[in-house]
Amino acid sequence: MEKQQQQSDLDRDRQYCELCGKMENLLKCGRCRSSFYCSKEHQKQDWKKHKLICKEADRAGVLLKPSPGRPEEDKAAPEGTGEPRSPGQANTSDPEAPGDGDGAGEATPNGQTNKLSPQKLATECIVPCMNKHGICVVDSFLGADTGLSILGDVKALYKTGRFTDGQLVSQKSDSTKDIRGDKITWIEGREAGCEKIRFLMSRMDDIIRHCNGKLGNYTINGRTKAMVACYPGNGTGYVRHVDNPNGDGRCVTCIYYLNKDWNAKEHGGLLRIFPEGKSQFADIEPKFDRLLLFWSDRRNPHEVQPAFATRYAITVWYFDADERARAKEKYLTGAGEKGVKVELGKSSDPS
């Protein structure tokens, strides 16, 4: 109880009016749900400035909802401005706003993203969203045809029997099955039958290259191999954990989902993220052709809820140069990336 009170106090300490800095009786922006105002009037006055951040965060698509047992402490978002909106509600007054979302707490699909160049997607959507929320969702990342080709590679790879039980970073035994239930294999991209997976990795590299120098204070100079994962669909999941709890160099987690016609109510398998310092969580459905990025460190504890249908995903972790160098000095290689560093390849972006 005391810890909950301390966390509640911490949350309040991080909330203040964007215009005047006041910290009492705050209202939350109904669209991005991460900025606060002491009054509707101050929200209106700050909209010209705030909408630049609010729109990009909304386009890239992370919306949070209250964590179980931790109700929101702020009042309802101000009304009457015409700009801020609630999760899952389309903002018809803004022609640049995306359409209806999947529902409260889920990423807002943005079918326009696959029309953006990697550079524009990186600088106009991913960078502002990551720096604001630490989480970013991009839908229609490669398009249906390419996504189906990658899925074909993954299914064929799974049939070869190369997948093994997922391991924990700090443990390499068979006793981890009740902690994580996925089966995985590591792909460099040059293996026979993995040409489409290699293309996906190159597009991920393009995105990160255009983000580099703009994501927090990181200088990204490499990545892991791709971890291709399958949850067999028998109720397996992965308990709440942090990808990089000990400073092993990984700074950005990048996941691509391959699950056609996924229905979370029926199939489960949500990725639930608990952003540090927030009283909300983000539920991400593992939908087909969806790309998810988030900070890999303790800022984003997350879990994979039990999946009741076969669930495929491909994950790549990107390294911060300084942290990775320090980790190597301390021999922090970790099972998560097998101690392998892969340089970012040449851009496949014709521009």
Side-chain angles (χ1 to χ4, degrees):
M1 192 68 180
E2 183 178 347
K3 288 184 178 180
Q4 289 182 348
Q5 183 61 44
Q6 290 176 349
Q7 182 62 54
S8 178
D9 292 342
L10 178 61
D11 292 342
R12 281 195 294 270
D13 288 344
R14 297 184 182 186
Q15 297 172 3
Y16 52 86
C17 177
E18 296 285 345
L19 190 66
C20 69
K22 184 179 177 181
M23 301 179 71
E24 295 84 25
N25 301 318
L26 298 176
L27 306 172
K28 179 183 287 186
C29 173
R31 171 191 270 173
C32 69
R33 303 189 65 77
S34 60
S35 293
F36 296 83
Y37 295 94
C38 65
S39 65
K40 295 178 182 179
E41 186 60 33
H42 277 197
Q43 184 186 32
K44 291 179 181 179
Q45 292 179 26
D46 192 54
W47 175 244
K48 187 174 182 180
K49 175 183 175 183
H50 176 62
K51 69 178 180 180
L52 301 176
I53 299 174
C54 191
K55 283 183 180 179
E56 298 306 343
D58 195 38
R59 284 177 62 189
V62 174
L63 297 172
L64 305 177
K65 62 183 178 181
S67 296
R70 293 175 63 186
E72 290 184 285
E73 297 169 356
D74 55 272
K75 297 180 180 179
E79 300 176 353
T81 62
E83 293 91 2
R85 69 183 182 92
S86 299
Q89 175 187 346
N91 180 6
T92 56
S93 66
D94 183 355
E96 298 180 11
D100 289 346
D102 299 317
E106 291 184 9
T108 304
N110 182 356
Q112 298 178 342
T113 53
N114 63 343
K115 298 179 182 179
L116 297 178
S117 68
Q119 182 174 6
K120 283 192 173 183
L121 180 59
T123 58
E124 295 181 10
C125 294
I126 294 175
V127 167
C129 191
M130 284 291 288
N131 289 333
K132 180 73 173 178
H133 298 286
I135 309 168
C136 183
V137 177
V138 178
D139 280 333
S140 305
F141 179 54
L142 297 176
D145 291 343
T146 302
L148 286 172
S149 297
I150 297 169
L151 178 59
D153 276 5
V154 169
K155 286 183 174 180
L157 189 64
Y158 190 73
K159 289 180 180 179
T160 65
R162 290 178 53 181
F163 284 60
T164 59
D165 290 338
Q167 300 288 347
L168 301 182
V169 170
S170 59
Q171 187 174 346
K172 297 182 179 180
S173 69
D174 292 334
S175 62
T176 63
K177 289 184 179 180
D178 53 352
I179 298 177
R180 61 181 294 183
D182 56 340
K183 295 184 177 296
I184 67 169
T185 190
W186 293 90
I187 297 297
E188 184 177 351
R190 294 186 175 89
E191 298 87 345
C194 296
E195 291 79 12
K196 294 301 182 181
I197 297 176
R198 182 178 182 179
F199 175 75
L200 167 66
M201 296 162 70
S202 72
R203 293 313 296 263
M204 287 178 170
D205 288 352
D206 287 345
I207 293 296
I208 296 298
R209 185 180 297 105
H210 290 302
C211 291
N212 210 0
K214 304 180 183 72
L215 290 175
N217 296 318
Y218 295 123
T219 299
I220 297 174
N221 69 337
R223 59 163 167 78
T224 67
K225 294 180 180 181
M227 186 187 79
V228 184
C230 172
Y231 288 87
N234 53 358
T236 51
Y238 195 160
V239 300
R240 184 167 170 169
H241 66 284
V242 172
D243 285 352
N244 175 17
N246 299 313
D248 62 23
R250 291 176 291 169
C251 60
V252 175
T253 300
C254 192
I255 306 176
Y256 181 72
Y257 292 112
L258 288 156
N259 308 296
K260 289 287 290 182
D261 303 318
W262 192 267
N263 182 337
K265 291 182 179 179
E266 179 182 350
H267 302 141
L270 290 172
L271 181 73
R272 176 166 290 180
I273 305 178
F274 304 86
E276 182 186 51
K278 294 185 181 293
S279 58
Q280 299 92 9
F281 60 84
D283 277 348
I284 312 297
E285 286 194 43
K287 289 186 173 182
F288 178 76
D289 200 25
R290 169 172 282 179
L291 184 72
L292 168 67
L293 304 93
F294 57 88
W295 302 133
S296 304
D297 59 19
R298 294 176 182 271
R299 286 173 287 182
N300 283 317
H302 55 282
E303 65 187 21
V304 177
Q305 298 186 341
F308 300 98
T310 304
R311 180 188 188 276
Y312 293 110
I314 300 176
T315 304
V316 169
W317 287 271
Y318 287 88
F319 293 129
D320 172 63
D322 291 341
E323 183 179 309
R324 185 63 177 167
R326 292 193 298 271
K328 284 185 174 181
E329 291 179 2
K330 297 179 180 179
Y331 304 101
L332 287 174
T333 55
E337 69 279 352
K338 303 294 183 184
V340 174
K341 174 181 173 181
V342 181
E343 296 294 338
L344 297 183
K346 293 183 179 180
S347 174
S348 63
D349 180 9
S351 61

